[in-house]
Amino acid sequence: MTTLLNSRAGRRQAMRRIQPRRSHAVPLILLSLAGAAAVLSLWWQNTPNVDGTAQWLTHAGRLSGLLGGYVLALVVLQMARVPALERRVGSDRVARWHALSGRYALCLIVAHVGLIIAGYAEQAGTGLVDQSVTVVMDYPDMIKAAVGTAMLVVIGLISAGMVRRRMPYEVWYYLHLFTYLAVFLTFWHQLATGAEFVGNKTAETAWYALYGTVTALVIWYRLLVPLRLNLRHRMRVEAVVPEAPGVVSVLIKGRKLHRLGAQAGQFFRWRFLAPGMRWGSHPYSLSAPPRPELLRITVKAVGGHSTGLASLEPGTRVWAEGPYGAMTAARRSRGKVLMIAGGAGITPIRALFETLPGKGSDLTLLYRARSVGDLALWNELKQIATERGARLLYAVNGPDGARPEITAERLGHLLPDIEDHDVYLCGPPGLAEHAYGALREAGVPDRRIHHESFEL
């Protein structure tokens, strides 16, 4: 491992300790489970004694439909980019919740359709196909529900890993937006035909309130807040600066940008209104602390959109949404901090390196890259390390291409008290996974490893 080291002699003997914050995910998960319990209670109160195969199938279909409708509302809520979720829980965790909830919702909805059709067919003594036609054509709002359900199934299929990886992000993104239409189409039959809602004004009002609240949050945070932000701040490209092979910084100028409330470690979703780029919106982290009239992102060319940034012309209009992300100084719970960055992951880490409280050997940055030439922003990092007395190290491949592994033993040798550190980790999935395992093996608790992934 090749190492550059800037440090002050000695270590602090006394360090300020901050109590770890309670995870914001736990109360939200409990609240979601409480909602599911309320839905189960609604079904239980409206379900008499079950007798016979037809009733077992029908009532199981009703329950799966209720739970599917509830989880579907959560799926849309997780698409709303509510700051309380994005900034406190973390955008990557919310994205994982959204994907998991989507799979649950789709399974419940498919089970609902199959069980209801089977139950009605058993009761009427007809075939499944005939009963399906009868339900769709004769029951209130069922044609819309059938179209919406088919759309949800298609969206679920294109979101599956193997299909999603073969599809351009922009195509997947715009197809994914049809989820809103699908939910709208399936909503009405729930109230028109659901036994829990017919004649039960309290339950009907609660369901309207659930979906109405989610709809209001989507309209506010996905449409109105971004519109206000961009009309107010009027951002444009100021300059594009090469930083390393395949890496550029984009300087973005605007009005009163300090009022965005952005912090080091956060990111925006950026849309550059240039030919061939205006239809793509991608997340890029701030690579420097936000300033009143200037923001900066630093991006490595790994796809069509990121490659196109190098050709942006000064004056290009910029549409941004954010700030998002929870990997900020607020996550810190110890006086000592280790930062590990790899590849494009250096961008949020560089901003944190400049702004995190602490000096001297309390602050250590380890930068992993293929070669010295790939160490983007290295001169800036050296200057920050010198000014702050922080420790700056890098690990690059050897002349034969051998990769220096980040292991628990090496981390322990570098920082004998590593278990007393907070760790900020950002880099490619392989590096992040490997480094996380090494950190856990070295004794760093999970709650003090702060990582967000922005893989699309």
Side-chain angles (χ1 to χ4, degrees):
M1 179 180 291
T2 306
T3 303
L4 294 180
L5 181 62
N6 293 292
S7 64
R8 294 179 180 177
R11 294 175 179 269
R12 293 182 184 176
Q13 297 301 317
M15 300 180 62
R16 178 169 60 92
R17 300 285 177 166
I18 306 171
Q19 291 298 321
R21 299 189 312 160
R22 181 184 177 187
S23 170
H24 293 280
V26 174
L28 291 173
I29 292 173
L30 293 177
L31 182 61
S32 300
L33 293 175
V39 170
L40 181 61
S41 161
L42 180 63
W43 170 83
W44 183 263
Q45 293 173 5
N46 286 274
T47 301
N49 293 330
V50 181
D51 183 24
T53 302
Q55 288 194 15
W56 275 107
L57 291 170
T58 302
H59 290 305
R62 285 174 44 216
L63 176 58
S64 59
L66 277 172
L67 289 173
Y70 170 71
V71 177
L72 197 57
L74 297 185
V75 169
V76 178
L77 174 62
Q78 291 153 6
M79 294 172 68
R81 297 177 185 168
V82 179
L85 292 175
E86 297 275 344
R87 299 179 188 177
R88 293 177 176 270
V89 176
S91 297
D92 60 336
R93 180 177 288 183
V94 174
R96 289 195 295 271
W97 287 357
H98 171 70
L100 184 62
S101 299
R103 288 192 286 270
Y104 283 144
L106 187 58
C107 290
L108 287 166
I109 290 169
V110 170
H112 164 67
V113 173
L115 290 167
I116 285 291
I117 295 297
Y120 287 178
E122 176 73 18
Q123 186 175 12
T126 60
L128 294 177
V129 175
D130 290 341
Q131 189 61 48
S132 299
V133 173
T134 299
V135 169
V136 171
M137 301 305 298
D138 295 346
Y139 283 59
D141 294 311
M142 279 306 304
I143 294 178
K144 291 187 293 185
V147 174
T149 299
M151 292 174 64
L152 288 173
V153 171
V154 172
I155 293 168
L157 291 176
I158 67 172
S159 297
M162 292 182 62
V163 179
R164 167 67 189 89
R165 286 190 291 270
R166 296 175 180 271
M167 183 178 296
Y169 170 73
E170 286 77 12
V171 174
W172 172 84
Y173 175 80
Y174 285 107
L175 288 176
H176 204 68
L177 291 180
F178 278 96
T179 301
Y180 297 126
L181 177 59
V183 173
F184 175 80
L185 292 173
T186 58
F187 172 75
W188 303 103
H189 89 286
Q190 300 175 54
L191 300 178
T193 62
E196 287 73 22
F197 302 110
V198 176
N200 188 340
K201 288 297 182 183
T202 301
E204 182 181 295
T205 301
W207 213 246
Y208 270 119
L210 171 64
Y211 274 81
T213 300
V214 170
T215 301
L217 289 173
V218 169
I219 293 173
W220 181 255
Y221 288 112
R222 292 299 299 266
L223 297 177
L224 299 181
V225 169
L227 180 63
R228 176 179 178 271
L229 181 155
N230 288 279
L231 290 177
R232 181 182 186 184
H233 298 287
R234 298 183 179 276
M235 289 178 274
R236 293 181 181 271
V237 173
E238 175 75 4
V240 177
V241 181
E243 300 286 2
V247 179
V248 298
S249 286
V250 182
L251 306 181
I252 299 166
K253 193 172 183 180
R255 301 188 304 184
K256 301 178 181 178
L257 297 179
H258 59 289
R259 294 189 178 179
L260 287 168
Q263 302 177 52
Q266 291 189 308
F267 69 96
F268 288 78
R269 287 181 170 91
W270 303 95
R271 188 187 305 273
F272 296 93
L273 305 185
M277 300 186 69
R278 63 181 70 247
W279 297 109
S281 175
H282 289 249
Y284 299 126
S285 298
L286 298 175
S287 61
R291 293 174 172 81
E293 303 295 332
L294 194 69
L295 299 176
R296 188 182 77 173
I297 59 174
T298 302
V299 182
K300 184 175 182 179
V302 293
H305 190 275
S306 54
T307 300
L309 297 182
S311 60
L312 286 173
E313 296 290 338
T316 300
R317 294 189 62 183
V318 180
W319 184 274
E321 298 178 43
Y324 302 121
M327 198 175 71
T328 65
R331 287 283 188 95
R332 182 178 178 176
S333 62
R334 287 291 189 273
K336 299 180 182 181
V337 175
L338 167 65
M339 289 177 281
I340 302 176
I346 191 59
T347 53
I349 295 297
R350 182 258 177 250
L352 286 166
F353 193 48
E354 182 178 345
T355 56
L356 275 175
K359 293 183 179 180
S361 56
D362 292 351
L363 191 62
T364 303
L365 170 57
L366 174 59
Y367 188 176
R368 173 75 176 88
R370 291 182 180 178
S371 67
V372 173
D374 291 319
L375 294 169
L377 308 174
W378 183 251
N379 289 334
E380 293 183 18
L381 294 169
K382 288 197 296 183
Q383 182 179 351
I384 294 169
T386 300
E387 292 175 352
R388 304 195 63 183
R391 306 206 312 164
L392 176 62
L393 308 100
Y394 68 74
V396 299
N397 294 356
D400 59 350
R403 298 167 55 90
E405 298 293 340
I406 298 176
T407 64
E409 292 76 18
R410 287 184 173 179
L411 290 173
H413 178 74
L414 173 66
L415 298 170
D417 57 348
I418 190 171
E419 67 278 2
D420 293 328
H421 283 66
D422 270 293
V423 181
Y424 288 82
L425 173 61
C426 193
L431 170 69
E433 182 178 357
H434 185 81
Y436 176 84
L439 289 164
R440 295 291 289 121
E441 185 180 346
V444 182
D446 178 78
R447 68 181 181 276
R448 285 198 261 112
I449 302 175
H450 314 303
H451 169 252
E452 281 186 318
S453 171
F454 312 120
E455 293 295 307
L456 296 173

